[in-house]
Amino acid sequence: MSLLIGATSLRDSPHHLRMLTIFFVISFLAIFSTAAILSTALSRYIIHQMMMRDAMVSTEFLNSIVHVEQAAPYFMGITDAPTPPDVQEFVSHVSRLPDVFRANVYAFDGHILWSSDPQMVGKRFEDNEELEHAMDGRLEPELSVVSRGDKDEHVGFPDGVDRFIEYYIPIRREITGEIVGAVEVYKAPESLLASMTEIRKLAWLGALAAGCALFGGLAVVVAYASRVLQRQEARIVETERLAVVGEMASAVAHGLRNPLAAIRSCAELTMEDDIPDHSRDAIRDITNQVDRLESWIRAFLIRSRNDPGSLSDQAQIDQVIQRCLENFEPQMRKRGIVSVMSGGRGHPIALAQPSELEQVLNSIISNSIEAMQKGGKLGIGWSSRPDGKIAITITDTGPGIPPDMVGRLFKPFETGKAAGLGVGLALGRRIVERMGGSLDLKNRPSEGVEVTLILPGHG
């Protein structure tokens, strides 16, 4: 019993709720952290690809102008003459690029040859990694915010520009591909920046929706698994309780065989005496009941030894019901209870051991008789279902089941009767489920209780 108490206390303790809470918190943090990281990485990748695409288009455009205008010597500082017309044409093209608000043309040695801001011409900015990368042939666009700019040249921006794209375009010779200079371009494309903002927003919303869906699905699975585990735990506790009852019942059944044999011997000896006929009938009832109990005990002990092959697994429904009613006939006659049998055609056979089915029906009929203290009607019917199973219905006209007992009817040791043990229905349902059937009980709308017993049919 200590095992049962320990299992019950574990199930009723708050440990289970704490574990679920911790699991949900950790799962929430893990899922949404992963979603945030993925959405950030995805939005950055898409934005970088959009900027790279825009920078590549500008690179091809400017290099094509340099080749057409033959302005490569200007970047190399080969001529000290005033800016030739073809170079002037080139820089004018640079200043007229779409969405460009500033442009700087760098010579190969790093000083500014020309700028849309005249004050920048001739300056050189040290530690300019982007320019060094451009001179190495790398194109690295960068999205920046004006208020956070940390470069010396990030000054004097036009009003209304708070974000901009900056990239250094390497300028190459037409034939050899040698880098001769670079063009720094500052762009504030409203449509592109708006698209980037929208992409970032959609990425976060998508990640949030995916995280919510994943967390919701996980929560449903965990909640379902938790309920299954709770049911399994309750079933294990119930099984352990019934196992204890079974062991005790086996010992009691084995011990009853000798007293029953003595009772039958005494009854047989009494039958040989000269007694009135009505007494002889009563003694004959005693021997019949002793034989019935002996048969039930023998079947019970065989089942306890896990030797089902020693018994028949086919029960004729109408015969089993008839035997059960005959067993309770004296009690029903004494209480003024009338039994009514109703069944379909033929003699349906169920895949069940007759003595076990009789035990289940006896338990149900006994409860119905005890409920009808002032008489009533006991109805028993059976029918074959389309799925090949057999349904047995038992009804009574008693007061019904108290509301507080409805959910505890099939729990071991739960009973509403003063002298009851609370194991009859629990054992009955377990026996029926082992046969592959089901046992349900409910209050009828008018009065009394209705019990439905479903058994697998034969043939």
Side-chain angles (χ1 to χ4, degrees), residues 274-453:
D274 186 12
I275 58 176
D277 291 339
H278 65 275
S279 299
R280 190 177 299 276
D281 293 337
I283 294 174
R284 189 176 294 109
D285 289 337
I286 292 175
T287 58
N288 291 335
Q289 292 299 322
V290 168
D291 290 340
R292 183 179 68 83
L293 288 175
E294 173 64 24
S295 174
W296 181 85
I297 290 173
R298 184 171 60 254
F300 178 81
L301 292 176
I302 291 175
R303 284 289 181 182
S304 300
R305 293 197 300 265
N306 294 324
D307 187 16
S310 303
L311 298 173
S312 172
D313 285 333
Q314 296 182 10
Q316 189 168 319
I317 299 299
D318 53 346
Q319 292 183 358
V320 174
I321 292 176
Q322 186 64 43
R323 285 199 303 269
C324 292
L325 293 177
E326 290 175 356
N327 296 333
F328 289 98
E329 196 275 333
Q331 296 183 36
M332 291 191 294
R333 184 173 61 251
K334 181 179 180 180
R335 296 196 180 193
I337 299 173
V338 179
S339 62
V340 178
M341 290 180 59
S342 61
R345 298 180 179 179
H347 304 282
I349 297 177
L351 295 176
Q353 207 284 318
S355 60
E356 289 189 339
L357 178 57
E358 184 176 346
Q359 175 189 351
V360 175
L361 292 176
N362 284 340
S363 178
I364 298 172
I365 294 174
S366 175
N367 289 336
S368 298
I369 292 175
E370 291 183 15
M372 294 183 287
Q373 296 288 338
K374 299 180 180 180
K377 183 171 69 174
L378 176 69
I380 302 182
W382 65 88
S383 61
S384 297
R385 304 201 318 178
D387 58 0
K389 296 184 177 181
I390 299 174
I392 302 176
T393 304
I394 303 172
T395 59
D396 62 55
T397 56
I401 307 170
D404 60 331
M405 283 297 300
V406 172
R408 299 183 289 134
L409 287 173
F410 296 99
K411 291 184 178 180
F413 307 109
E414 296 284 349
T415 179
K417 297 182 291 186
L421 296 177
V423 296
L425 288 176
L427 286 174
R429 171 175 275 187
R430 183 59 53 87
I431 291 173
V432 172
E433 289 178 349
R434 190 175 66 242
M435 296 176 184
S438 62
L439 175 62
D440 294 308
L441 188 149
K442 64 179 180 179
N443 283 319
R444 291 196 295 170
S446 55
E447 62 177 354
V449 175
E450 177 180 301
V451 182
T452 303
L453 181 62

